[in-house]
Amino acid sequence: MFSGEEVSRAVSSRLADAGIIPCDEAEVCISNGFRCAKLAEGVWIKMQLCGETDPDQAVVAIAEYADVLAEAWPAMDVLADRIIGRYYRTHGTPQFRPLRAERADSSSGTTETVRDGDSGDSGDGRPDEEGRRIECDEGRDDKVAEGAPAESEEDGGDEEIVVPTEDDPAEGERQESVPKASDDGDAPEIEPEPPRMEDGRFMPREFPMLLELLRRGKFVCLIGPTGTGKSEMVKDAARILGRNLFVCTAPQMSYDITGFVDAHGRYVRKPFSEAFMDGGICLMDEIDRAGPEALIAMNAPVANSIMYIEGVGQCERHPDFVFVATANTAGTGADQEYVTANQLDASTRDRLIYLRVDYDENIELECAGGDRELVDFAHSWRRACEESGVTNALFTYRGIREFSELAADPMFGPQMAIEMALVKCALPRDTLLVVRKRMDCANRYAEALDSYISGMRESLLR
C-alpha cells in the first residue's frame, strides 16, 4: 500500500531541511524501503483507529518525527505509537480537530463563538489540508463531547461544533463552562466544578472507573507518564473501599512475591502473599521494571487463584484479594523516555485490564494555586519537549507545585524556579533553545525562560 521509497524521501528531505545528519544505524533504516513501508503501514493502522481517513497523513506524521528517527529506530509498534502521539498532539485527532464552537444566545438571537478549553487567544491555530484555520488546544484530547454534531460552512470557513446544552450533557466531556442565561433574565448559571475527594482535592477523571473496576474484583494496570498520581489513586481507592493496602515496588525475585521460609523455619510474608492470603489490595508499583522471575511467580496466583509456597504448601486466594499495578509503559519495553522499562510477557499482560492515566488540568491548576499562566506554560513545555525528543525535563504535578512555590517566593523568583524545579541544571543551552522555539506560550513564565537561557553560565553550556 505504501511506497517505502516515498517514506524514505520524506524523512530524508525533512532531515536535510533541518540540517540533521542521522547516525549510521538510523541511516540504514531510513534508506531501507521495506522497513519504511512497514513503518508506514503500522502508523496507518493506528491512525485509522483514531479516526483518520487520509493515508497520506501517515507519511506526514513519520516525516514530522524525522529528528528522532535520526537518532534511534526502536521496535516498530513502539515507534508507531510515538509517531502518532506526537502528530495528534500537534494537530489534534481527526474527530477533535475543530475546536471552535458556536452557541446561539436565546435572548438576543446572536451567535457567540467560543474556543473549547481556552477563553483567550492563546490557542494554536493551524491550517488543515484545505487551507482552513483550525483552533487546536493540544493539551487535551477529549475536547469535543461524543455525539456533538459537526457543521461545516459551504464556503470553506471554519468547521464548527454545537456545544451540548446543560440539559443534555455528553458523558465524560471536559469542556470549559459556557454561561447560560436563565429564563427570568438573571445572571448566567455557572456549571458546577469537577467533583472532589473527601479531603477537598480534585478527583482525577479516571478515579471513578478505577474504583468501579476494583469493586468488581478486576485486576488493573494503570499506565501513564510519571507523576500523574497513579499510586495515589490506588491508595484513595483502598481507603474508600475499606481494604488494607499492601505495596511492593518492582519485585525482582520469586520470593518477593511468594515470601519465604527463613533459617529458623518461620514463614516470612511479602506484600503480595499477605494480601493474597488475608485479603486486601496489592499494589505493584513499576511493574514494567519488575524482574521476569517475580512476574512468573505472580502469574499463576493471579490467574488460577492458587499459590504454592515452598515449605508452606498450597494457599488459596482470599475472596477480597485485588491486584493493581502501575507502569509508565504498556509493557512493550523501553523507549526514549523510559529507558529502564522492561517488556512484559504476553501472559502477564493477558491477566490485567489496562487503564490509561494522564495529567488532569483541574489537578494541575490546583497544584499551581490557580495560576492559569503556569499551567499553560507547563502544557506548552511538555508538547515542545515531546516534539524535540527531550525526555529528561518532566513537568509533573509535583514539579508544578514546587515551581509555583519557588516562583512566588521573592528569594527565588521564576528564573530560579526554572533552573531548580524544571531544568534542574540538566539541559544545555542549545537544547533549551530548540525546546523554546517549539513552544507556543508567550506569558511571563515564557519570558522568564528566555531570560534564563540568555543568562546561562558557561558551565551549563557543556
Side-chain angles (χ1 to χ4, degrees), residues 149-339:
E151 299 179 357
S152 302
E153 295 181 0
E154 295 181 358
D155 60 359
D158 289 341
E159 294 184 356
E160 297 173 341
I161 60 169
V162 177
V163 177
T165 64
E166 292 182 348
D167 296 330
D168 185 25
E171 182 181 357
E173 68 182 8
R174 287 176 47 77
Q175 63 182 33
E176 184 174 303
S177 302
V178 179
K180 178 182 177 182
S182 58
D183 296 336
D184 55 4
D186 294 337
E189 300 175 0
I190 304 298
E191 292 184 6
E193 66 176 13
R196 292 179 179 268
M197 307 295 289
E198 295 177 353
D199 58 4
R201 291 174 292 128
F202 278 116
M203 179 183 294
R205 56 176 172 265
E206 300 88 359
F207 184 75
M209 290 183 285
L210 172 64
L211 197 61
E212 182 60 25
L213 289 171
L214 297 185
R215 281 197 177 110
R216 297 184 183 188
K218 303 296 184 182
F219 299 157
V220 184
C221 181
L222 303 177
I223 63 170
T226 184
T228 49
K230 300 183 291 296
S231 301
E232 194 68 26
M233 286 172 56
V234 179
K235 296 176 185 177
D236 290 333
R239 186 182 68 254
I240 292 175
L241 295 175
R243 305 279 185 90
N244 292 326
L245 179 65
F246 303 88
V247 181
C248 59
T249 302
Q252 299 300 311
M253 308 303 293
S254 60
Y255 58 75
D256 291 328
I257 298 295
T258 62
F260 61 93
V261 177
D262 66 14
H264 301 285
R266 294 173 298 194
Y267 173 55
V268 179
R269 294 187 176 190
K270 289 293 186 175
F272 183 95
S273 59
E274 193 166 1
F276 187 86
M277 291 187 286
D278 295 344
I281 297 176
C282 177
L283 167 61
M284 183 181 289
D285 251 335
E286 311 285 359
I287 190 174
D288 52 352
R289 270 79 169 181
E293 184 177 328
L295 294 179
I296 291 173
M298 180 204 75
N299 283 345
V302 168
N304 304 324
S305 304
I306 295 175
M307 178 170 60
Y308 178 79
I309 302 172
E310 187 175 354
V312 176
Q314 186 169 285
C315 302
E316 294 189 1
R317 186 176 73 192
H318 192 282
D320 292 334
F321 170 75
V322 177
F323 179 78
V324 186
T326 66
N328 298 130
T329 69
T332 52
D335 56 30
Q336 280 193 310
E337 191 166 7
Y338 301 105
V339 296

Side-chain angles (χ1 to χ4, degrees), residues 34 86 284 327:
F34 177 78
R86 171 189 287 194
M284 183 181 289

Side-chain angles (χ1 to χ4, degrees), residues 377 418 436 439 441-451:
F377 177 73
I418 287 172
R436 181 66 183 98
M439 293 178 66
C441 183
N443 59 28
R444 61 193 178 102
Y445 296 111
E447 294 173 358
L449 176 59
D450 291 336
S451 299

